[in-house]
Structure formats: C-alpha cells, structure tokens
Amino acid sequence: MKTSYVSNLAVQNAMRSTIALGQLELIKLQQEVTTGKYADAGAALGATSSRSVSLKNELERLASLKETNAIVKQRLSASQSALETMRKAAEQINTTLIATLGNDDTTRLNIAKTDINGALSSFVAAANIQFNGEFLMSGINTDIKPLAEYNATSLAKASFVTARDDYMDANGIATMKDFTVAQMNDFITTKIEPMYTGSQWDTDWSQASDQNIMSRISANEVVQSTTNTNTMGVRKFALAAVLSIELLGEDLSSDVRTAVNMASQNYVQQSSTGIIETSSTLGISEARLKKADTSIDAQKKLVQLHITDIEGVDVYEASTRMNALLTQIETSYTLTSRLQQMSLINFL
C-alpha cells in the first residue's frame, strides 16, 4: 500500500480558482437580476441570437425614425406659425383697404400706405423664416432666402415703374389723373397681374423652388413638410400690397382710386384663401405625423416585448442561484482561511 501527500498550498490555490470563477459568475448573475436579461445573450442563446440582433436593429430603426419625426414636427410647427403671421398681415391690409375705400384724404391715404408697408414687411419676414439654419419656405432650396424685400431699389419696384410708364406711353396717358376706370382695370389685369402670376415672379420676388421637401415619417409613408413662396397665396399678397402702395396715394380720380382699392381687396382676399389652403395642407401632414408616431410607439413596444421574450431570464431563479453562489463563495473564503492557518509548527 502506497500513500501520497497533497500540500495545503495546492488546496489553497484550488480554492482561489474556485472563488475567482464564482466571483465572475456572481457578476453575471447580479447583472441578470438587475436587468432581467442574459448577461451574455450570444453565449446563452447561440444560433437564436441572430433573431435578437435583427429585432434590436429594427428597434434602432424605429427610434431613429421617431427622432427624425420630431424634427419634422418642429419644422411643420414653425411653418404653421409663419403662415399664421402671413395670414394676419393679409387681414391687416384688407382692413386698411376697407377703411380707406372712397377716401381721398391725402393724410389718411399716407397712413394707409404706411400700414400696408408694415404688413408687407411682416409678411416678407415671416416668409423668410429659418429653422436649424434652413429657410422653411424655399422648397428644396433651403440655403437660399426665398422672398425679396420691396423697397426703392428692388427689382419688383423697377418692374412696376417700367410697366406703368410703358402702359401710359402706349395708351397716350399723360398723367395719373388721366387714367380712366377701364384703363386702370386693364392696366392691373393685363400688365401687373401677369408679372405676379407668371415667370417674372421668379425674377423679381422669389428664389424658392416649386418642389417642397418631402419627409419619410414611417416605413411606407411620406408627407410634405415645407412649403414655398411660389404659391398663389404669396403671389396675390405681394400683388395686392404693391398695387396699394404704388397707386392708392397717387393723384387719381376718386372712381379710379376706388377701382384700385377694390382690385387690391380682391387680390388680398384671394391671398388669404391661398394661405389657409397651404396651412391646411401642412395641417394634414401634422395629423399624419401624429398617427405615424403613435404607430411607431406601438411597434417599439411590440419589438421590445419580443426582445425581452428572447433575452429575458427568470429573475427569481437567477436570484436563487446568486444567493447559493454567495453562500458557496463565503464557504470557500472560510476554508481558505483555515487552510492558511494550517502549519506543522502547530503540531510540534
């Protein structure tokens, strides 16, 4: 019969190895108890982990879509605010025109001209609104200021003066006082209006694109998220404002001034209608965006539920295993301590 010895050092090292492994396992179990998921999903799931990865990618895609939708929402909200300012400017001009209808008093007409100039400036400022460094009413030309200002040096001013002088020369009209109602109506409808409804608008006033920005708000849905300054609502406002500014205060007969006033009212009312239609279009986009966000939230919850089903652990079981492991580690500590105290000196 042969016996062999086992040193206490070897036993201590074995205990240390057991404790180290136990501590690593304990960290994993603590994480699983806290998160309710596998600490190492790849190792735990094996081939099934590919499904988990796919679901997580889908969750990230939905989260990214929700973030971009938040930007679209802000863009639409800012556009609606600008359109509301523009609509109020149109109402201001209409109110001023109604108040001066049939009035030939120079002082009153000058006050009206100042009011209309102010409304036009407010309108142009709203049309040139920016969001995150982009012009909202430039269509896809977001880096270009869409609407020009109207002043003494503007192209629109020069075009009006040229059109007026050419018309007067062609029709033998010596002074503004010599305009008849028929001639004024003809001048407005055949000379001035085409400048605002036709291609000259792009030269004198607008640098915006007719093509608006379209934003994807869900996997299969795209909405219009901006507008532009080439819509009839904007064109007719500018037309009404310029006619009022340039003609109401001129030395016209009372009947001709009334004709100018009525024509300007007609254009500004068309402008209000056009602006409301544009606002309604963006309003539809806002409603669709809200529904899309609701749908995305529901999809995120469903995907997250599937991920939890795949990666989820039994927290109670993990907690039980963790407590058992803690007990095991404590026992190992105790045994290691006792082994360290073993010495032949104690038996001599």
Side-chain angles (χ1 to χ4, degrees):
M1 180 176 179
K2 183 179 179 182
T3 61
S4 61
Y5 72 92
V6 177
S7 71
N8 61 343
L9 178 61
V11 175
Q12 289 178 36
N13 289 336
M15 285 295 181
R16 290 192 187 98
S17 177
T18 300
I19 292 172
L21 292 174
Q23 287 174 333
L24 290 175
E25 182 67 18
L26 181 62
I27 292 172
K28 291 172 61 178
L29 288 172
Q30 287 175 330
Q31 183 178 341
E32 289 179 356
V33 170
T34 303
T35 63
K37 298 179 180 179
Y38 290 117
D40 188 346
L45 297 175
T48 313
S49 62
S50 62
R51 184 183 173 196
S52 174
V53 171
S54 297
L55 289 172
K56 286 181 178 178
N57 288 338
E58 176 65 12
L59 193 62
E60 289 179 1
R61 186 188 69 81
L62 291 171
S64 176
L65 196 57
K66 190 68 182 293
E67 289 177 1
T68 57
N69 280 1
I71 297 175
V72 174
K73 182 179 180 180
Q74 293 175 341
R75 184 185 295 147
L76 286 168
S77 178
S79 296
Q80 290 284 33
S81 178
L83 288 169
E84 179 63 14
T85 299
M86 294 161 74
R87 186 187 63 79
K88 288 181 178 179
E91 288 183 352
Q92 179 182 342
I93 289 184
N94 193 50
T95 300
T96 300
L97 289 171
I98 292 173
T100 56
L101 184 62
N103 195 322
D104 293 324
D105 180 69
T106 303
T107 301
R108 183 69 189 89
L109 291 174
N110 286 334
I111 293 174
K113 182 177 179 179
T114 300
D115 289 345
I116 294 170
N117 263 313
L120 177 58
S121 296
S122 175
F123 187 93
V124 171
N128 290 330
I129 186 174
Q130 287 182 281
F131 173 75
N132 283 343
E134 298 180 343
F135 290 100
L136 291 180
M137 294 194 180
S138 289
I140 60 174
N141 296 339
T142 56
D143 59 335
I144 302 175
K145 190 176 182 179
L147 198 62
E149 297 180 2
Y150 188 81
N151 51 46
T153 60
S154 64
L155 292 174
K157 171 79 172 182
S159 294
F160 180 89
V161 171
T162 299
R164 182 197 61 195
D165 293 346
D166 289 348
Y167 186 87
M168 292 177 69
D169 290 342
N171 290 273
I173 302 172
T175 65
M176 295 297 293
K177 189 75 171 179
D178 297 326
F179 262 101
T180 65
V181 172
Q183 287 173 327
M184 181 56 73
N185 286 332
D186 181 63
F187 168 64
I188 292 173
T189 56
T190 64
K191 296 297 180 181
I192 302 302
E193 182 177 341
M195 292 165 54
Y196 288 77
T197 57
S199 59
Q200 191 168 343
W201 171 260
D202 298 327
T203 301
D204 292 347
W205 285 90
S206 177
Q207 296 188 67
S209 169
D210 292 333
Q211 184 178 349
N212 296 314
I213 293 178
M214 305 299 290
S215 301
R216 181 169 296 281
I217 60 173
S218 68
N220 55 3
E221 191 172 14
V222 176
V223 299
Q224 177 183 326
S225 58
T226 64
T227 183
N228 62 77
T229 54
N230 296 329
T231 62
M232 280 300 164
V234 178
R235 293 172 185 248
K236 292 297 178 70
F237 179 93
L239 174 55
V242 170
L243 287 177
S244 303
I245 292 169
E246 296 296 341
L247 296 177
L248 280 182
E250 291 293 319
D251 185 20
L252 304 172
S253 67
S254 182
D255 289 344
V256 172
R257 182 173 287 107
T258 296
V260 171
N261 190 305
M262 295 298 292
S264 298
Q265 283 188 52
N266 179 48
Y267 289 131
V268 81
Q269 287 164 8
Q270 291 180 41
S271 170
S272 293
T273 301
I275 292 170
I276 291 172
E277 288 176 354
T278 301
S279 180
S280 297
T281 299
L282 296 185
I284 292 173
S285 295
E286 287 179 309
R288 291 172 63 186
L289 178 61
K290 185 176 181 181
K291 290 182 179 179
D293 278 347
T294 301
S295 176
I296 290 172
D297 288 337
Q299 291 178 63
K300 286 175 66 179
K301 289 180 181 178
L302 186 60
V303 172
Q304 186 62 61
L305 182 61
H306 286 323
I307 293 174
T308 302
D309 287 342
I310 295 173
E311 296 185 351
V313 298
D314 187 335
V315 177
Y316 178 78
E317 180 187 352
S319 179
T320 301
R321 288 168 55 201
M322 183 178 70
N323 291 332
L325 188 58
L326 281 170
T327 301
Q328 181 181 344
I329 291 173
E330 289 295 333
T331 302
S332 297
Y333 279 138
T334 302
L335 291 174
T336 302
S337 176
R338 289 183 179 181
L339 286 170
Q340 287 175 340
Q341 293 174 5
M342 292 178 64
S343 174
L344 287 174
I345 298 174
N346 297 331
F347 297 95
L348 294 177

